[in-house]
Amino acid sequence: MNAVFADSVYWIALINPDDQWHQKATAARESRLDTEVMTTEDVLVEVLTYFGGYGPDVRRTAARVVRAILDNSGVNVIPHDTDTFVAGLELYEARLDKSYSMVDCMSMQVMREYDLEEVLTSDHHFMQEGFTILL
């Protein structure tokens, strides 16, 4: 089974039908039903943070989706740990000329650790690090 990494852009687009990437994210999900999806707790924190100011109904929906992700056997959620944080920090420090977020740096390091090449995102920062973006 192939595996693909899911960035916050993907999860946000799936949750928000008005998001510019919603259709592409939905199509990507449908076309990759046999593909293991990997993400991190840090990405899910970023998703919940994104929807923090959207009001109770949207916050409830975001929390419900994150719980569904955690319960989905087709999604491997990598827990936050100090090693991942330090590896992300090292990449963050090595790319001071970029505008990579810390979560993106940790995600990229997780992708390298698991030999993942494809990422469900539209974020060009992943392309700058040699990954293939799928949205």
Side-chain angles (χ1 to χ4, degrees), residues 7-131:
D7 181 40
S8 59
V9 170
Y10 172 73
W11 299 119
I12 290 167
L14 287 179
I15 292 168
N16 182 1
D18 296 327
D19 187 278
Q20 66 177 333
W21 300 106
H22 179 75
Q23 288 183 342
K24 286 189 176 188
T26 302
R29 180 184 61 196
E30 296 301 318
S31 70
R32 295 180 167 271
L33 292 175
D34 63 340
T35 303
E36 178 186 15
V37 175
M38 296 183 76
T39 196
T40 65
E41 288 177 346
D42 302 296
V43 165
L44 298 180
V45 167
E46 193 171 52
V47 169
L48 293 169
T49 300
Y50 176 86
F51 288 111
Y54 277 66
D57 291 338
V58 175
R59 287 172 58 101
R60 186 177 301 108
T61 298
R64 181 180 45 78
V65 170
V66 167
R67 287 196 178 276
I69 292 167
L70 293 170
D71 291 337
N72 185 335
S73 63
V75 180
N76 183 0
V77 179
I78 307 300
H80 175 84
D81 66 28
T82 302
D83 291 340
T84 301
F85 182 84
V86 170
L89 182 58
E90 289 170 358
L91 180 59
Y92 186 93
E93 292 171 320
R95 303 293 189 272
L96 296 176
D97 61 322
K98 307 290 185 196
S99 58
Y100 298 176
S101 75
M102 182 60 179
V103 172
D104 285 351
C105 289
M106 291 185 293
S107 296
M108 292 171 192
Q109 297 296 59
V110 166
M111 289 181 67
R112 288 185 174 111
E113 180 181 343
Y114 287 90
D115 295 320
L116 302 176
E117 297 177 7
E118 297 180 319
V119 54
L120 291 161
T121 193
S122 62
D123 186 340
H124 70 282
H125 294 142
F126 287 87
M127 268 186 8
Q128 290 174 327
E129 285 297 312
F131 299 107

